[in-house]
Every structure is written in C-alpha cells, then in structure tokens.
Amino acid sequence: MGIIKSGKVVVLLAGRYAGRKAVVMSASEEGNGNRKFGHAVVAGIDRYPRKVTRAMGKKRLDKRCKVKPFVKAVNFVHLMPTRYSVDMELKKLADGATAKETRVETRKNIKKIFEERYKSQNKTDKKAAGVQYFFNKLRF
C-alpha cells in the first residue's frame, strides 16, 4: 500500500475502534514476525475532545481538551486512508507501541502529544486542515 505512509490520517473500518480516526505511526508492507500480513501501527483517538467556547474558563477548557488515545497494529484491509496528513512526531514511538511492557508508557506519551497539538492548532499551516480534521469526531 503506497498510500498508507507515516503521518497519514486513516479511518478504522473494523473492530473495537471502527469509525475512529487514527494516524499511521509506521507501516509494514510484507509483514514481520508474528504478523505475516501487511499492516500499520496506528495511534488514534478513542475519546475525542469536546467543544470549547471563548466564554469558558481555563479549568473547564483544560478538562474539555482531554483526549483518550489508543495504539494498535491494524491490517491494511481494515484501514481507509483519507486525503489528510498530520505532522506529529510519532515515528519514534512506533517501535515500542506493540510490545506489552511499553504499551502503557507509549499511550501516555501519545496522549501528551495529542493534547499539546490540539491546544496549539494554527489555521494558517498547510497541514492544519489535516490536524483539524483528525481532532473532529466522525459523524455517521
């Protein structure tokens, strides 16, 4: 799958996180080790941030900007690529994402990155449209 590369926003089509948006951390065309099929390690949003308004205070705003991430290795068949891509530094976290010992720590780091990126969105950046799309819940 030449389309699914690191940084691409995808929609998961099957499983527990079906309908959720995710960012590809790393992709393996032929598969490796115990996964002998083409797959991608993705980091996505399980619980999206809620709507905020200008009138809200800092404490309420911080509470509404929280994100619950997930990390998963997904078969290419169960991913739908979108036209958007984001510029988050997730490639370094990809190798420890699927190991049981480091999965919780990886998820915490991803949560920190997602929340930081959500709060510091700027509308002028080229990849800003992708970031804005990524953090909005998919309505269907």
Side-chain angles (χ1 to χ4, degrees):
M1 287 292 221
I3 298 168
I4 300 177
K5 292 187 175 93
S6 181
K8 186 67 132 171
V9 177
V10 294
V11 177
L12 274 67
L13 302 175
R16 178 179 178 183
Y17 301 110
R20 300 275 191 233
K21 294 176 190 168
V23 177
V24 176
M25 294 169 73
S26 67
S28 175
E29 297 291 325
E30 294 85 36
N32 53 22
N34 57 349
R35 291 186 184 87
K36 298 186 186 338
F37 50 86
H39 64 277
V41 177
V42 297
I45 300 178
D46 190 15
R47 190 182 314 122
Y48 288 88
R50 298 173 70 191
K51 185 181 173 187
V52 293
T53 60
R54 198 178 298 244
M56 290 180 188
K58 183 172 174 24
K59 189 175 177 184
R60 191 167 188 194
L61 194 125
D62 287 341
K63 210 168 193 166
R64 286 177 157 257
C65 289
K66 288 206 186 317
V67 173
K68 182 182 178 187
F70 66 87
V71 179
K72 195 168 176 65
V74 185
N75 192 327
F76 283 143
V77 175
H78 305 303
L79 295 176
M80 183 176 74
T82 63
R83 64 181 178 162
Y84 299 105
S85 57
V86 295
D87 54 347
M88 291 187 221
E89 295 299 320
L90 300 173
K91 194 145 181 98
K92 291 175 240 163
L93 301 170
D95 53 343
T98 54
K100 280 199 188 294
E101 303 83 37
T102 57
R103 193 177 299 154
V104 174
E105 194 62 40
T106 304
R107 207 175 315 134
K108 285 179 185 174
N109 292 337
I110 289 170
K111 179 183 172 84
K112 202 180 301 174
I113 291 169
F114 280 177
E115 287 178 359
E116 187 179 295
R117 189 71 172 99
Y118 180 71
K119 288 178 182 174
S120 65
Q121 286 186 51
N122 54 346
K123 307 281 191 257
T124 57
D125 191 21
K126 184 179 187 265
K127 295 204 175 185
V131 173
Q132 199 170 3
Y133 173 78
F134 177 65
F135 285 112
N136 284 336
K137 190 173 183 179
L138 190 64
R139 301 285 179 188
F140 61 95

